[in-house]
């Protein structure tokens, strides 16, 4: 069987299912959500500083704007390493929860100290992949660049899959990168036939980005409309873009107040930061359970086996019961 790229509608449906059903897993141990909260808080801080720097430039406070912008750049790089470590802690908590054990966030923090070097490698590759994508986007348009963008996009999707698989491998079995390479090559063979259908290369990939890119586009249109309406009544924070006069002498003032655009963009960015981290955490939860099911099936608590099987197959528990004895475990 072959991996297949899912449509956006299917990925959206998968994401919705995982969001709904991940709360069942999270409910087993309140510490599972702690890494998610920490990642969200850092993202919100970065977003607020970023928009504060934009505001400072708008108000011509160049020094403050430059300082805030530099702080944003530093935090954005730091976030790659921070998030990978938090995901590793989350993976360890999820694994222990699946095994019927209750550990604390601090226990996970201590456990993942040993793997910091390997986790930093994943974070560094994450960072470099993102830079590569942005560099390609900035290149001149053309057929060759179009092909390169497709190749880089596919490479990022594959890396997203592999990096989420590698996290539990490193955290749970403490595997080295050298040990993981041959395992990565045989990953496809280790996936049970029942899971191939849901295990698309771009597993719930880019769903949040696609949704919020459209929301930002709508936000610009709505912000300009509201801003233009405000500009007809006040000069406060108004930008004069152009003034058009037709042959009949009717004029149109293209001025608008930039505050609605700023507020809408800021609000959408805040929501995106929250939802993106939630989806990232859900992927960590899913891949940790997935890894445990195919590599360490006997360690899963008998009380949770049916529920976790249903979660992996993206089926309701009632549907799973009809699949008599369906087993996700694979033999080594």
């Amino acid at each position: 069987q072959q991996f297949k790229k899912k449509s956006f509608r299917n990925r959206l449906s998968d994401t919705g299912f995982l969001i709904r059903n991940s709360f069942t897993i999270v409910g087993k141990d309140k510490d599972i959500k702690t890494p998610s909260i920490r990642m969200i808080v850092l993202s919100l801080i970065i977003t607020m500083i970023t928009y504060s720097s934009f505001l400072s430039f708008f108000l011509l406070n160049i020094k403050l704007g430059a300082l805030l912008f530099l702080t944003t750049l530093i935090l954005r790089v730091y976030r790659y390493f921070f998030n990978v470590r938090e995901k590793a802690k989350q993976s360890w908590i999820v694994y222990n929860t699946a095994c019927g054990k209750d550990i604390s966030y601090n226990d996970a923090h201590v456990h993942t100290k040993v793997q910091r070097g390997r986790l930093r490698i994943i974070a560094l590759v994450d960072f470099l992949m993102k830079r590569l994508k942005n560099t390609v986007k900035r290149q001149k348009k053309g057929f060759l660049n179009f092909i390169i963008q497709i190749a880089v996009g596919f490479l990022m999707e594959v890396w997203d899959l592999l990096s989420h698989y590698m996290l539990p491998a490193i955290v749970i079995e403490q595997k080295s990168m050298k040990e993981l390479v041959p395992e990565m090559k045989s990953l496809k063979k280790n996936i049970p036939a029942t899971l191939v259908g849901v295990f698309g290369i771009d597993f719930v990939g880019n769903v949040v980005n696609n949704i919020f890119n459209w929301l930002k586009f709508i936000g610009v249109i709505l912000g300009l409309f509201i801003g233009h309406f405000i500009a007809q009544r006040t000069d406060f924070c108004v930008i004069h873009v152009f003034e058009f006069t037709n042959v009949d002498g009717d004029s149109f003032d293209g001025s608008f107040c930039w505050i609605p655009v700023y507020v809408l963009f800021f609000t959408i960015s805040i929501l995106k930061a929250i939802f993106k981290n939630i989806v990232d955490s859900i992927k960590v939860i899913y891949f940790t359970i997935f890894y445990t099911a195919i590599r360490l099936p006997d360690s899963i608590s008998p009380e949770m086996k049916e529920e976790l099987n249903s979660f992996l197959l993206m089926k309701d528990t009632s549907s799973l019961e009809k699949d008599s004895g369906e087993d996700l475990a694979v033999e080594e």
Side-chain angles (χ1 to χ4, degrees):
Q1 301 196 44
Q2 301 294 319
F3 288 126
K4 53 185 179 182
K5 186 178 178 70
K6 294 187 175 187
S7 67
F8 176 76
R9 177 180 292 183
N10 288 336
R11 284 183 282 133
L12 184 61
S13 175
D14 288 348
T15 304
F17 176 90
L18 292 175
I19 289 174
R20 292 192 305 273
N21 290 274
S22 289
F23 285 108
T24 305
I25 309 300
V26 172
K28 304 290 183 184
D29 189 336
K30 59 182 177 59
D31 291 295
I32 291 176
K33 66 178 180 290
T34 303
S36 304
I37 294 171
R38 288 170 62 86
M39 289 189 292
I40 288 172
V41 168
L42 178 60
S43 290
L44 294 181
I45 290 173
I46 292 173
T47 301
M48 287 187 282
I49 294 176
T50 300
Y51 278 83
S52 296
S53 69
F54 293 157
L55 186 60
S56 298
F57 285 124
F58 265 122
L59 300 177
L60 300 179
N61 192 335
I62 306 301
K63 288 184 178 180
L64 178 60
L67 178 62
L68 291 173
F69 185 71
L70 179 61
T71 302
T72 299
L73 292 179
I74 294 171
L75 286 176
R76 284 180 182 275
V77 174
Y78 170 72
R79 179 169 57 184
Y80 286 93
F81 298 90
F82 178 85
N83 281 4
V84 168
R85 179 75 185 278
E86 291 302 313
K87 289 176 184 179
K89 297 174 191 176
Q90 191 166 52
S91 180
W92 181 240
I93 298 172
V94 170
Y95 168 73
N96 280 275
T97 302
C99 296
K101 302 173 186 175
D102 183 12
I103 66 167
S104 68
Y105 173 83
N106 188 58
D107 292 331
H109 178 78
V110 172
H111 176 80
T112 54
K113 275 185 179 180
V114 181
Q115 295 94 22
R116 279 181 298 183
R118 298 165 194 170
L119 296 175
R120 284 169 184 161
I121 293 175
I122 294 178
L124 181 60
V125 176
D126 276 342
F127 173 75
L128 294 175
M129 293 288 283
K130 184 68 174 178
R131 298 284 71 74
L132 175 62
K133 181 181 179 180
N134 291 339
T135 301
V136 171
K137 274 187 175 181
R138 288 194 294 266
Q139 299 302 312
K140 291 181 180 180
K141 302 298 180 184
F143 180 73
L144 180 59
N145 184 256
F146 175 71
I147 297 299
I148 293 174
Q149 282 191 31
I150 292 176
V152 171
F154 178 78
L155 184 62
M156 289 196 68
E157 289 172 355
V158 173
W159 169 248
D160 183 61
L161 183 153
L162 295 182
S163 63
H164 279 90
Y165 180 85
M166 289 163 69
L167 268 179
I170 292 171
V171 173
I172 297 171
E173 297 195 275
Q174 301 187 30
K175 292 187 175 180
S176 65
M177 292 296 178
K178 186 177 180 181
E179 291 175 300
L180 280 170
V181 171
E183 190 171 314
M184 293 293 102
K185 292 179 180 178
S186 62
L187 174 59
K188 179 181 169 184
K189 296 178 182 177
N190 287 333
I191 299 175
T194 51
L195 277 179
V196 173
V198 298
F199 204 74
I201 285 293
D202 55 350
F203 181 79
V204 302
N206 295 321
V207 170
V208 174
N209 283 337
N210 290 339
I211 292 174
F212 281 93
N213 285 341
W214 275 105
L215 284 178
K216 283 184 177 180
F217 175 75
I218 295 171
V220 170
I221 304 300
L222 183 60
L224 289 174
F225 178 79
I226 297 172
H228 177 69
F229 178 80
I230 293 173
Q232 305 308 304
R233 288 154 180 78
T234 179
D235 287 330
F236 181 70
C237 293
V238 169
I239 297 176
H240 298 279
V241 182
F242 66 89
E243 187 171 343
F244 172 75
T245 304
N246 62 20
V247 292
D248 297 325
D250 298 324
S251 62
F252 176 78
D253 185 6
S255 302
F256 70 96
C257 174
W258 56 264
I259 291 180
V261 177
Y262 179 88
V263 171
L264 284 170
F265 254 61
F266 178 69
T267 303
I268 293 170
S269 296
I270 288 289
L271 292 174
K272 180 180 179 181
I274 294 171
F275 280 98
K276 187 176 185 305
N277 281 289
I278 288 175
V279 171
D280 282 348
S281 291
I282 286 169
K283 287 162 114 176
V284 171
I285 293 170
Y286 186 93
F287 274 89
T288 300
I289 295 171
F290 171 82
Y291 183 88
T292 306
I294 67 172
R295 300 290 297 179
L296 304 162
D298 294 336
S299 65
I300 298 176
S301 169
E303 292 78 17
M304 293 190 67
K305 237 171 192 178
E306 183 180 3
E307 189 176 8
L308 296 182
N309 281 358
S310 177
F311 178 66
L312 286 177
L313 293 168
M314 294 189 184
K315 292 182 180 180
D316 295 328
T317 306
S318 56
S319 300
L320 186 67
E321 289 171 355
K322 295 176 184 178
D323 302 332
S324 54
E326 190 169 25
D327 193 0
L328 295 180
V330 293
E331 295 184 2
E332 303 269 345

